[in-house]
Amino acid sequence: MVPVLGFCGASQSGKTTLLCGVIAELKRRGYRVGAIKHHGKADPLPTPEPHKDSALLASAGAERVALAHAGGVFLAAGPDVAFLGPRALAERFLGDMDLVLVEGYKSADIDKIEVVAPGREPVLPKGGRLLALARQGGGKDEAGLNVLNADDPGGVADFVLKHLGLSPAAG
């Protein structure tokens, strides 16, 4: 089973920026990384555009990116798989990756890191297992959780690999 870890947080919290940095770092270390972006709005399935999050995740080095949405999954799949959770999507479409990082799915039953914007409070989503918070500059433990430095994708990558039981460099 491919290891899956989520990054969640409020809109404009820096999730995509941090996730792109972590993906680029993991790719530099030799990992094959897949990504799933959850589009939570109910409008028609968007087509990935160059400046949008899913395209940014791909340009950061994710070998495959799935854009999950109520209208379907953008990865040559239709609405019959739209309601699969991130773990099932990872297995079905990204099972040959070393790991899959997920953006969104706040309530999914997966381990996750919440990205918190400067000056904001954590949302502390229900469901899943919240492992840590990520803030610009890091900080002291908060709400009983480690606080990672969102400005240090290498340090966050180290945390991800350690939690998933993977070595610091792909081997």
Side-chain angles (χ1 to χ4, degrees):
M1 183 176 287
V2 64
V4 176
L5 190 126
F7 286 74
C8 65
S11 180
Q12 301 299 309
S13 61
K15 297 179 301 292
T16 302
T17 300
L18 177 57
L19 197 49
C20 285
V22 171
I23 289 170
E25 176 63 21
L26 292 170
K27 182 176 175 77
R28 185 189 67 72
R29 296 182 191 189
Y31 281 96
R32 295 185 67 216
V33 182
I36 298 173
K37 163 70 178 166
H38 185 237
H39 180 77
K41 298 178 179 73
D43 48 344
L45 181 65
T47 303
E49 299 173 31
H51 64 284
K52 295 294 188 178
D53 294 350
S54 51
L56 293 172
L57 298 173
S59 22
E63 291 193 29
R64 280 191 221 122
V65 177
L67 175 59
H69 179 275
V73 173
F74 191 86
L75 186 71
D80 58 319
V81 296
F83 297 100
L84 293 177
R87 196 175 306 280
L89 286 170
E91 284 302 319
R92 184 154 182 185
F93 296 110
L94 306 164
D96 60 335
M97 297 288 107
D98 294 321
L99 68 153
V100 173
L101 299 179
V102 176
E103 181 180 339
Y105 284 106
K106 282 182 211 160
S107 299
D109 188 24
I110 59 171
D111 290 347
K112 57 186 75 107
I113 296 168
E114 181 181 348
V115 182
V116 184
R120 304 293 296 268
E121 293 300 314
V123 177
L124 301 174
K126 294 175 176 47
R129 296 158 300 274
L130 192 58
L131 304 173
L133 302 175
R135 289 186 176 275
Q136 287 183 341
K140 297 180 185 177
D141 288 0
E142 190 175 332
L145 299 166
N146 291 324
V147 179
L148 307 173
N149 184 351
D151 297 322
D152 178 15
V156 176
D158 289 339
F159 180 88
V160 167
L161 293 173
K162 182 177 180 183
H163 175 72
L164 296 176
L166 301 170
S167 69

